[in-house]
Amino acid sequence: MQVAVYPGSFDPITYGHLDVIQRAARLFDRVIVAVAENADKRPLFSLEERAALAAAATRDLANVEVDSFRSLLIDYVERRGARVILRGLRAVSDFEFEFQLALTNRRINDQVETMFMMPRDTYTFLSSRIVKEICRLGGDVSPFVPPPVREALEARYAELRRAAHPDCNRSHIG
Ligand code: ADP
């Protein structure tokens, strides 16, 4: 049984991530999408929200499971009995960091291999950060994320706008 762990922040999951997941689901018996806490990045969605959105987006893929973890990645991978860490590569700009991460993980446990997959060319420019920026500025993110993710993004930015400008909700008369 070949199990691959696909770790990331998934803040939120995009069609780029999903493209990698679909390709991996055809190659491995089981793919675990592992949502990382990532305290450094100040995510827009909580760990639970990110995992729930990833689960909604991958519901139709029978051998894909969504989980979350707060520990060291390599410990999590061992605990899940996986031998492969999956990462996506978009452009040369991803390489430097991914290279560092892969070799560090290998130094910790050289029984675990990191494998890279490239998404469909139309998704090579896509990142969670850009999707959030488009949505924050009122743009349509439906070409980039599945419908439940679009709804969650729009709701979150509407909440943040209301919190920033509470007066906008009050009637001018009353
Ligand atoms: P992290 O914070 O760990 O980089 P991300 O959620 O941003 O988490 O990304 C998880 C993995 O998915 C990374 O390997 C990243 O390079 C990859 N990835 C992100 N967006 C895309 C995309 N559009 N196409 C392919 N891989 C992607």
Side-chain angles (χ1 to χ4, degrees):
M1 174 107 165
Q2 282 292 348
V3 183
V5 169
Y6 181 32
S9 313
F10 302 104
D11 184 40
I13 193 163
T14 69
Y15 282 140
H17 295 123
L18 277 172
D19 185 272
V20 168
I21 294 167
Q22 280 159 357
R23 286 170 201 283
R26 293 198 288 266
L27 291 176
F28 295 94
D29 298 308
R30 189 160 195 80
V31 176
I32 303 170
V33 178
V35 184
E37 182 174 37
N38 221 335
D40 294 351
K41 276 196 171 175
R42 295 189 74 247
L44 180 66
F45 294 105
S46 71
L47 185 60
E48 292 72 24
E49 289 168 331
R50 285 179 277 142
L53 290 172
T58 55
R59 209 175 25 211
D60 296 340
L61 299 166
N63 59 338
V64 174
E65 162 196 339
V66 176
D67 192 11
S68 58
F69 70 106
R70 291 188 154 93
S71 60
L72 196 62
L73 171 62
I74 209 85
D75 290 344
Y76 174 79
V77 170
E78 267 179 61
R79 205 160 60 236
R80 296 301 316 260
R83 299 282 293 275
V84 173
I85 295 172
L86 201 65
R87 296 285 287 176
L89 267 190
R90 285 163 289 191
V92 183
S93 51
D94 276 341
F95 180 78
E96 185 90 28
F97 176 69
E98 294 294 340
F99 178 72
Q100 216 177 10
L101 197 66
L103 293 192
T104 308
N105 283 327
R106 178 183 286 166
R107 180 54 83 84
I108 303 173
N109 182 342
D110 75 357
Q111 299 302 305
V112 173
E113 287 299 334
T114 301
M115 289 181 59
F116 296 97
M117 295 191 101
M118 278 170 253
R120 213 164 85 187
D121 53 359
T122 40
Y123 297 136
T124 49
F125 64 92
L126 199 54
S127 72
S128 300
R129 190 178 59 78
I130 285 179
V131 169
K132 284 183 280 192
E133 192 63 6
I134 293 169
C135 191
R136 188 177 70 80
L137 298 170
D140 175 20
V141 292
S142 52
F144 312 123
V145 295
V149 177
R150 178 181 54 76
E151 286 158 24
L153 276 167
E154 288 173 358
R156 179 55 43 90
Y157 282 115
E159 262 168 46
L160 291 173
R161 269 193 296 275
R162 274 197 299 275
H165 306 284
D167 290 346
C168 294
N169 296 326
R170 289 203 205 116
S171 154
H172 290 292
I173 308 163

